[in-house]
Amino acid sequence: MSQVTMTVNGKTASGDVEGRTLLSQFLRENLKLTGTHVGCDTSQCGACVVHVDGKAVKSCTMLAAEADGATVDTIEGQAEADGSLNTIQQAFQDHHGLQCGFCTPGMVMSTAALLKDNPKPTEAEIRDYLEGNICRCTGYHNIVKSIMAASGQDVGSIAAE
Amino acid sequence: MYNFDYEKPSTVADAVAALGDEDAQALGGGQTLIPTLKQRLASPTTLVSLSGISEMQGITDEGGSITIGGATVHADVASNGAIAALSDLAGNIGDPAVRNRGTIGGSLANNDPSACYPSAALGLGATIVTNTREIAADDYFQGMFSTALDEGEIITAVKVPKPEAANYQKFEQPASRFALVGVFVAKTSGGVRVAVTGASEEGVFRWSEAEAALNGNFSADALEGMAPDADGMIADLHGTSAYRAHLVGVMTRRAVAACS
């Protein structure tokens, strides 16, 4: 066991981990931040996406030890200080960008990473960026709408269902 | 996953020392190694992370060539643009989150027969720089998952000469996003190079018949009707060997057309 320390959602967090402890496991089991979901555990589905030093990564395919000293942001840190939904979260609610909600933490974190680099993505760029995030409910259409809305763009420009 | 010790050296020398133990294994971005460990297909006693070695990070442009640190992630190669075909290739590996972790050194050391990077290294005539020597790409790839690297040898950088023109065409296996067939075509001062990944049971290879035809006439028409022999091509549930051989011809023609 060795100790890791990281800044998670703005707060310092430490814990003892084994070499094999995954970042997803550390967040969920040590820090009880269970908003980061583990869907496939094979880096296909993207439900576990968090930001490490500002970059979207699949936390099921990164060792906790690799994040020692890093800044980690998870879905729990996305809401505004008063607890209200942030722009992306609100857009997902407004445009019904989720059904069961399992993939949503990863979708929101991937969206945040996309909009940081590309504040006004096209529909094609959104669909391309979400290649590593799988949703089995929505057919993606309302997720794409939500992201168009979150980036302040006209949702009506998306092709009709 | 079986447990292991984890070390994160900050210099190449310390990493080489840590890899001296025969059951130690280098860890690049882990995008292949961690899934492999989860399946218990490997059981190193120690993982030596290469992510803390600053001298293995980043890309430098030397005019006629670029040098990419072995621990440089795909996303950084994708955003560099000094060799457009290489950046396009890197920007289509896996998905954005995978590209933020996976490294060029890790990909080349693993030499997956369906990975994209081996075709770029071979197609561009890159030089693989390790802690002990420099290896020409033509000598480096030695078959599926097999390379010229010795035990404990680390890819510290990759030197890539700039081509006159180059393009990579990937026929994606839609579930894994690896190349069902990928072809990297480069027009270089030393002639045309055509490197094929995803197709052969021997891993990445140069399609010499296509190179000869393209050296005479650099156009897709020069390859009309050509395909490599289907013998030795991978056959699996995604495609037969004949299908893959046919795709090599198609993707090569597309890559040549996109060069001009």
Side-chain angles (χ1 to χ4, degrees), chain B residues 2-77:
Chain B
Y2 296 113
N3 200 18
F4 46 77
D5 293 328
Y6 170 87
E7 291 187 31
K8 192 174 182 178
S10 56
T11 66
V12 171
D14 287 348
V16 170
L19 287 166
D21 178 345
E22 65 171 305
D23 291 324
Q25 160 87 47
L27 170 68
Q31 301 304 286
T32 298
L33 181 56
I34 292 174
T36 304
L37 293 171
K38 285 181 180 182
Q39 294 179 71
R40 296 187 170 180
L41 295 173
S43 53
T45 54
T46 305
L47 275 196
V48 180
S49 169
L50 305 179
S51 63
I53 303 173
S54 55
E55 64 194 287
M56 283 175 58
Q57 295 282 350
I59 302 165
T60 48
D61 192 330
E62 282 115 10
S65 65
I66 62 172
T67 298
I68 305 169
T72 305
V73 298
H74 308 328
D76 289 344
V77 177

Side-chain angles (χ1 to χ4, degrees), chain A residues 78-113:
Chain A
Q78 295 300 298
E80 305 294 346
D82 65 0
S84 62
L85 300 181
N86 76 5
T87 305
I88 295 169
Q89 292 169 313
Q90 188 62 53
F92 270 71
Q93 186 181 70
D94 292 345
H95 295 276
H96 208 64
L98 62 149
Q99 288 179 29
C100 87
F102 192 88
C103 72
T104 312
M107 289 290 179
V108 169
M109 297 310 290
S110 283
T111 302

Side-chain angles (χ1 to χ4, degrees), chain B residues 77-89:
Chain B
V77 177
S79 63
N80 178 267
I83 299 176
L86 181 65
S87 293
D88 289 347
L89 174 148

Side-chain angles (χ1 to χ4, degrees), chain A residues 92 97 103 107 130 135 138 140-147:
Chain A
F92 270 71
C103 72
M107 289 290 179
L130 294 182
C135 171
T138 62
Y140 303 98
H141 203 80
N142 287 354
I143 292 173
V144 177
K145 272 188 182 173
S146 304
I147 298 171

Side-chain angles (χ1 to χ4, degrees), chain A residues 5 9 16 24-27 41 46 53 55 68 70 80 93-94 102 113 127 130-131 151 157-158:
Chain A
T5 302
N9 299 329
D16 289 327
S24 54
Q25 201 179 343
F26 179 73
L27 293 170
D41 205 30
D53 291 332
K55 305 280 187 189
D68 187 28
E80 305 294 346
Q93 186 181 70
D94 292 345
F102 192 88
R127 290 185 186 277
L130 294 182
E131 193 171 13
S151 55
S157 68
I158 298 183

